[in-house]
Amino acid sequence: MLAGKVALVTGAGRGIGKEIALALAANGATVIVNYNGSKECAEEVVAKIVQNGGCAEAIQCNVSDFAASEAFVKEVLDKYKKVDILVNNAGVTRDNLIMRMTEEDYDIVLDTNLKGAFHMIRHLSRSFIKQRSGKIINISSVSGVLGNTGQSNYSASKAGLIGLTKSVAREFASRGVNVNAVAPGFIDTDMTKGLTEDAKKALNGMIPMGKMGSTKNIADLVLFLAGEQSDYITGQVICVDGGMCI
Ligand code: NAP
C-alpha cells in the first residue's frame, strides 16, 4: 500500500509513535524513526522493521529546536530525496493546575507539542509543495478539543495543533497535500502510566466505551490517513477516543 513512500514519524521510539512507525513500515513505507532521548528504543524499532523485511533509520532530533529540526529535515531530504508522509507525534506533558504552573512547564509543552510540529511542517513545506503530494498527520488530543483540568499548557498546545492543521490544510489543499489531525483519547502508553489509580478511574468514567484505547487504535487511523483512501479528506480532526468527544 505504501511501497516507495518515505515516512517521517517524530517521537517514534516509544508509545503511539512506535506503533505508527511499525504500521507504516509493515505497509511498505521507508520510515525515519525520530527520537530525542530514547536512542536505544528507536534503534530497537528500526531493528524490528528491518527484521520484518522493511526499511528504516533512527535519527535524533529535538523537534522543539528550530535550527536542529532544519538540519534534521535537510539530512533526510539529502539522503531520501523526499518525505511523503509526516507524522507529528512527539509530545510531552507537564500537568498542574494553572495557579501552580511554572513558565518553564508551560514553555516546554508548547515548544515540543506545537512549535515542534510547526518546525517540521515549515522545514518540509517547500519539498511538499514541489512534489505536489503528501500527507501530514498531526497527533493532537481530546484535551485540545474538550480542555482538561490540570492540563492548560497541554490543552493549549493540542488546540493550537488543530488550528495549525486547519490553516496549513487550506494553504496546501490545491497542492495535493492533505493535512489532518488525530485526537486520541485515553491511550495506554508511558504518558498515561504515571496517572494515579483514582485519576485512571475518573478518566475511564468519562469514556462512553468504558475503557482505554490502544496504540494500535491510533496507528490504524494514521495508516488510513497516510494512504490514498484519504485523498479527499483534509483539515479534519478525527477523535479516536471511545466516544469521549460525543
Ligand atoms: P510517550 O509514550 O510519552 O512518548 C512520547 C514520545 O515523544 C517519545 O517517543 C519521545 O521521544 C517523544 N518526544 C518528546 N519530546 C520530544 C522532542 N523534543 N523531540 C522529539 N521527540 C520528542 O507518549 P505517547 O502516549 O506515545 O504520546 C504520543 C503522542 O500522542 C503525543 O503527542 C501525545 O500528546 C499524544 N496523545 C497521547 C495520549 C495518551 O493517552 N497516551 C492521548 C492523546 C494524545 P524520546 O523518548 O526519544 O524523548
Side-chain angles (χ1 to χ4, degrees):
M1 181 182 124
L2 299 174
K5 303 287 185 196
V6 177
L8 190 165
V9 185
T10 66
R14 300 187 285 121
I16 292 171
K18 171 182 176 178
E19 193 80 34
I20 292 169
L22 293 173
L24 294 173
N27 281 273
T30 293
V31 182
I32 313 303
V33 177
N34 161 253
Y35 65 95
N36 184 28
S38 304
K39 185 170 195 264
E40 271 177 34
C41 296
E43 282 170 355
E44 278 168 27
V45 174
V46 169
K48 199 165 172 187
I49 291 172
V50 172
Q51 258 167 31
N52 293 333
C55 212
E57 180 179 354
I59 303 182
Q60 196 279 338
C61 174
N62 175 356
V63 297
S64 71
D65 183 320
F66 186 93
S69 308
E70 190 169 33
F72 170 40
V73 165
K74 187 176 181 309
E75 182 183 348
V76 171
L77 290 178
D78 282 350
K79 187 159 178 190
Y80 295 91
K81 308 299 171 210
K82 60 171 186 169
V83 169
D84 301 288
I85 301 155
L86 167 65
V87 185
N88 284 310
N89 166 79
V92 293
T93 51
R94 292 289 186 279
D95 296 355
N96 217 332
L97 295 174
I98 188 91
M99 66 189 297
R100 293 198 201 116
M101 189 168 288
T102 63
E103 185 181 14
E104 193 191 353
D105 283 348
Y106 192 85
D107 285 346
I108 189 172
V109 170
L110 269 291
D111 285 352
T112 307
N113 302 5
L114 181 55
K115 247 183 139 188
F118 157 68
H119 292 151
M120 296 306 297
I121 297 171
R122 157 73 172 73
H123 297 318
L124 278 165
S125 57
R126 268 177 216 284
S127 166
F128 272 123
I129 284 174
K130 217 169 98 195
Q131 76 197 24
R132 302 190 77 85
S133 70
K135 307 281 189 182
I136 300 174
I137 301 149
N138 296 321
I139 307 299
S140 177
S141 167
V142 293
S143 289
V145 179
L146 300 172
N148 196 18
T149 303
Q151 288 200 312
S152 53
N153 50 358
Y154 184 76
S155 300
S157 73
K158 295 299 186 177
L161 258 184
I162 292 172
L164 180 73
T165 301
K166 292 183 181 183
S167 298
V168 181
R170 286 185 185 276
E171 287 188 26
F172 286 1
S174 63
R175 313 297 181 110
V177 181
N178 306 54
V179 190
N180 290 293
V182 174
F186 184 30
I187 309 297
D188 188 11
T189 68
D190 291 346
M191 193 173 266
T192 47
K193 273 194 178 69
L195 292 170
T196 62
E197 281 313 307
D198 280 352
K200 284 187 187 171
K201 222 169 139 191
L203 273 166
N204 273 332
M206 290 163 62
I207 307 170
M209 286 187 177
K211 59 177 182 187
M212 288 179 101
S214 68
T215 53
K216 184 174 182 303
N217 294 147
I218 310 305
D220 284 345
L221 176 61
V222 171
L223 196 56
F224 170 79
L225 291 173
E228 63 185 21
Q229 301 98 313
S230 70
D231 278 355
Y232 201 54
I233 301 174
T234 200
Q236 300 306 302
V237 184
I238 306 174
C239 298
V240 184
D241 65 351
M244 281 178 94
C245 287
I246 292 172

